[in-house]
Amino acid sequence: MRRVSVSDPLPFSAPLAAGGEALSTSALPAGVRDVLPAEWERREHLRSHLSALLRSWGYRGVDLPALELADPAHPQGNHAFKLIDSGGQVLALRSEYTTALGRLVGTHFPSGPFPLRLQYGGRLWLRTQTSELGRLREFNQVGAELIGVTGVQADAELLALAHAALGQAGVQAQLEVGFPGFVDAALTDAGLPGPVRAALHDAIDRKSGADLDLLARQHGVSPEVTRTLHSLTELYGGPEVLTEARVLARGVRAEQAVEHLSAVHAAAQEAGVELLFDLGVSRRYGYYTGLTFRAYVDGINQPVLGGGRYALPGGLPGAGFAIGLERLAAVMPAGVPSEPETVLALDFAAATAARAAGLGAELAWTGDEAELRHYAQARGLRRWVQGAELRDVTPADLKIATEVNA
Amino acid sequence: MTAQTTPERRPDHLTLALPKGRIMDDAIALLSQAGLPLTRPEASRALRHEFPGVTVLELRNQDVPVYVDLGVADAGIVGKDVLLEAGRPVYEPVDLHFAECRLSLIREIGASGPIARVGTKYPRAARAYLQERGIPAEVVKLSGNIELAALTGLADAVIDLVQTGSTLRANHLEEVDVLFHSSARLIVNRTALKLRRERLRPLIARLRELTAPAGEES
């Protein structure tokens, strides 16, 4: 017989977590969640249609590993989940796609053929996201990258493609174009040294006139330059912004930026895409080298799409965008997608025939009619079919309920 | 729902987040001067006030940046001190130049020992300041009557708002350093500024005119 010692855990105690609290089996880490059938249906419908659209524009799919070697130079390096490999190496869970795609291109397509059009889709993880609505720590993106070419037409193609993708989801979105280099050029042209520029970038990005004035006072920025900086925070709206920017642009870099944006605007108009502009957008991601863009939808606080032009290691140019699947699915109009009706098949022949006819079919698992009726009602299956000729055998009471609903 | 969506609102409707209390009175006076059809809500338990084309949400001041960042409100008014502490990526286009105060490092008069522990309602600002100065002090987050922390020895110093300094003098305390000056700011949601710019742009311009310090060109 086993003697119970006083140090034995009490037989009725709950399993203990590391912190000593009872571990709930229904618990999940913050910022992750289960996706249930209704949302899964919408999201997968969206994913497959987006990917088909991208393919029809010539963007071929690639798949990238979710596990990467941790790299301190990675733009999201500080925000990625880290794991330790068996050899002690630090790994990171994928936190962003463009860098990974750049690696893939460098390995498998070092000499093209360019332009290289690639699409990708999958999950990303961010450790530091506050787990608020719209900022999950585990989320899905679909994206497209156009590698190896640069210029007005390439930028306009991506804007038109982004527009088409959002239109296909049935979402009324507004594309806005920025050019972080414009702010940087304006600051450089004003002769401001590096450390001051970083603080000013941040103030301009927040459109904070008060902080601009404070920094200008602290660093002895002339009143004239300060006025220019204030103007940068006002450069948002329709195409009229480009006219205002042209007046502000002093140096060659700033002038070239405005010229480029004007040409992109003209090309986008030809494609039927209306653009907004914000030339006060300032380096939220350090790696963008040219234009950046995002899509706003009324009623959602985060952009549903974001992208821009960058340079891959070795100088290969690229540009692309990613769509936040959860965000876009949340603003997709109700009623999309229309699911095919699912019927309850009483035998295999009926199930095969129903599927051949484009219906969904679930097989009956019992002959007990009461049990089947109970299940069909809970699951919303209105039609029962039998035999290869799909004889309707729906019980009368269920039929009446269906007709009343219809 | 995975993302913050708001019930359908017409693009010409504005939702504003305002902190309850004195700032709210000043804010409503200023906003109605700027052309919004607002009046001071009568004393009631209502937290949401409807005006023609404008909804006002009455909130605790710490919650104003949250409502604006998440897009439930298009814009709001809140002190720079609260905004810095919230760390929310909202636009802050106008300094409204009221509710002025400063966030200061405060000690008992004559205190000269090392600072090992700091009491404050502003842990984020406090940590940033201490780190910048290379002071390896621990930060204790408190909720009110911060001066007591310095007087009772809970902390060697406190970081708190100072308006006139009379409370400090009455409690044998002095300002050792000023972290920053604060005043009320108009803050705007990043999406709303773009999609509701027909309403927000003129409001921003008008508020700038109304609040520009005398003698300064707008």
Side-chain angles (χ1 to χ4, degrees):
Chain A
M1 204 182 85
R2 187 169 174 266
R3 207 172 58 97
V4 176
S5 89
V6 284
S7 65
D8 273 352
L10 293 172
F12 48 80
S13 69
L16 291 181
E21 297 151 45
L23 188 66
S24 159
T25 49
S26 61
L28 282 174
V32 305
R33 71 210 176 96
D34 298 320
V35 173
L36 300 181
E39 189 191 341
W40 186 91
E41 196 74 47
R42 280 166 72 79
R43 203 186 65 191
E44 292 312 304
H45 170 89
L46 188 57
R47 192 203 301 275
S48 65
H49 281 72
L50 285 174
S51 126
L53 174 85
L54 296 177
R55 203 168 322 130
S56 75
W57 282 58
Y59 289 76
R60 293 173 296 149
V62 290
D63 216 356
L64 291 151
L67 281 179
E68 302 173 341
L69 293 171
D71 176 3
H74 191 283
Q76 295 274 43
N78 290 334
H79 309 298
F81 278 97
K82 309 286 186 343
L83 305 93
I84 311 296
D85 203 357
S86 53
Q89 238 165 349
V90 181
L91 305 180
L93 273 179
R94 183 174 56 217
S95 55
E96 182 258 355
Y97 262 111
T98 306
T99 310
L101 200 93
R103 181 201 49 76
L104 178 143
V105 170
T107 309
H108 300 281
F109 303 96
S111 51
F114 300 119
L116 183 62
R117 291 182 170 87
L118 296 175
Q119 63 161 304
Y120 55 80
R123 243 165 238 233
L124 299 165
W125 294 265
L126 285 177
R127 185 173 57 86
T128 49
Q129 292 269 82
T130 54
S131 55
E132 261 166 12
L133 300 167
R135 287 176 188 156
L136 290 163
R137 302 207 295 169
E138 180 180 48
F139 53 98
N140 283 274
Q141 282 187 350
V142 167
E145 310 285 334
L146 175 54
I147 313 261
V149 287
T150 177
V152 172
Q153 279 154 294
D155 286 352
E157 169 176 337
L158 285 165
L159 289 167
L161 180 54
H163 178 78
L166 295 166
Q168 189 190 47
V171 168
Q172 277 289 332
Q174 190 54 253
L175 277 170
E176 183 192 76
V177 172
F179 203 100
F182 182 79
V183 174
D184 202 59
L187 294 175
T188 314
D189 295 343
L192 297 169
V196 191
R197 286 219 299 271
L200 288 170
H201 264 294
D202 181 57
I204 292 168
D205 191 65
R206 286 181 289 109
K207 302 199 188 299
S208 175
D211 288 1
L212 278 180
D213 285 334
L214 185 66
L215 287 162
R217 270 201 305 277
Q218 283 171 354
H219 298 283
V221 178
S222 76
E224 195 202 336
V225 171
T226 309
R227 265 197 299 278
T228 308
L229 300 183
H230 277 285
S231 317
L232 288 175
T233 68
E234 287 293 302
L235 286 179
Y236 63 91
E240 72 278 1
V241 165
L242 297 176
T243 317
E244 295 160 30
R246 198 165 281 125
V247 179
L248 270 182
R250 297 272 163 77
V252 181
R253 261 175 78 205
E255 276 169 17
Q256 280 173 347
V258 178
E259 285 319 309
H260 181 76
L261 289 178
S262 304
V264 169
H265 174 238
Q269 263 190 324
E270 268 175 50
V273 181
E274 292 300 326
L275 297 175
L276 291 181
F277 294 89
D278 185 350
L279 290 187
V281 165
S282 180
R283 54 172 226 172
R284 306 209 75 197
Y285 276 112
Y287 55 69
Y288 288 126
T289 57
L291 105 182
T292 60
F293 54 97
R294 51 184 77 157
Y296 298 112
V297 178
D298 199 23
I300 181 168
N301 60 318
Q302 306 277 311
V304 294
L305 175 152
R309 175 158 293 285
Y310 50 84
L312 293 175
L316 192 62
F321 62 82
I323 292 170
L325 265 193
E326 283 85 355
R327 292 177 189 170
L328 192 57
V331 290
M332 238 163 67
V336 179
S338 56
E339 290 174 67
E341 189 190 359
T342 298
V343 299
L344 184 66
L346 298 186
D347 51 43
F348 279 107
T352 308
R355 289 178 195 132
L359 299 170
E362 285 190 24
L363 278 164
W365 70 99
T366 172
D368 183 335
E369 198 188 311
E371 205 177 323
L372 287 178
R373 186 182 305 132
H374 182 73
Y375 173 75
Q377 242 152 10
R379 194 49 196 93
L381 304 179
R382 296 178 191 170
R383 250 183 98 190
W384 299 21
V385 291
Q386 195 168 34
E389 64 279 15
L390 293 181
R391 246 177 310 115
D392 276 299
V393 290
T394 312
D397 53 349
L398 201 66
K399 207 175 218 167
I400 289 161
T402 308
E403 278 159 9
V404 169
N405 282 341
Chain B
M1 281 292 134
T2 65
Q4 180 61 51
T5 57
T6 42
E8 294 192 16
R9 296 193 314 238
R10 294 198 324 276
D12 58 350
H13 188 94
L14 274 189
T15 302
L16 301 177
L18 301 181
K20 59 177 68 182
R22 229 193 59 216
I23 285 202
M24 176 127 167
D25 295 343
D26 292 352
I28 283 187
L30 184 62
L31 289 167
S32 57
Q33 237 185 313
L36 294 187
L38 307 186
T39 50
R40 239 180 78 188
E42 289 156 35
S44 75
R45 287 175 178 275
L47 303 172
R48 176 153 54 177
H49 312 285
E50 298 291 347
F51 301 97
V54 185
T55 301
V56 170
L57 307 176
E58 193 172 340
L59 304 166
R60 282 289 297 272
N61 60 3
Q62 292 94 330
D63 296 339
V64 170
V66 180
Y67 274 70
V68 173
D69 179 31
L70 293 183
V72 176
D74 302 309
I77 290 180
V78 71
K80 177 70 174 172
D81 55 324
V82 174
L83 190 56
L84 271 175
E85 196 60 27
R88 296 268 172 182
V90 293
Y91 290 132
E92 37 173 308
V94 191
D95 183 348
L96 300 171
H97 293 289
F98 67 89
E100 289 182 331
C101 56
R102 53 194 186 268
L103 193 69
S104 298
L105 180 73
I106 298 159
R107 302 194 75 175
E108 217 169 344
I109 292 176
S112 59
I115 298 176
R117 196 191 274 170
V118 173
T120 186
K121 268 197 279 192
Y122 298 86
R124 195 186 172 110
R127 282 200 191 93
Y129 169 81
L130 294 168
Q131 199 173 5
E132 190 192 297
R133 296 296 158 107
I135 303 171
E138 75 180 281
V139 172
V140 182
K141 161 93 167 80
L142 298 169
S143 305
N145 295 347
I146 309 299
E147 299 84 2
L148 266 182
L151 294 173
T152 56
L154 174 79
D156 309 306
V158 297
I159 287 178
D160 201 19
L161 286 186
V162 180
Q163 261 167 339
T164 61
S166 53
T167 313
L168 298 186
R169 283 188 292 277
N171 283 296
H172 194 63
L173 293 165
E174 63 179 348
E175 269 178 282
V176 181
D177 198 0
V178 175
L179 278 67
F180 58 82
H181 291 267
S182 171
S183 54
R185 303 290 160 93
L186 177 77
I187 61 171
V188 183
N189 175 270
R190 283 185 175 251
T191 300
L193 183 69
K194 307 305 172 59
L195 296 185
R196 291 165 196 264
R197 65 184 186 288
E198 307 294 336
R199 282 210 76 177
L200 285 167
R201 250 197 125 118
L203 178 66
I204 290 168
R206 188 80 187 99
L207 285 173
R208 271 198 193 127
E209 285 166 24
L210 287 169
T211 57
E216 213 175 89
E217 49 186 323
S218 56

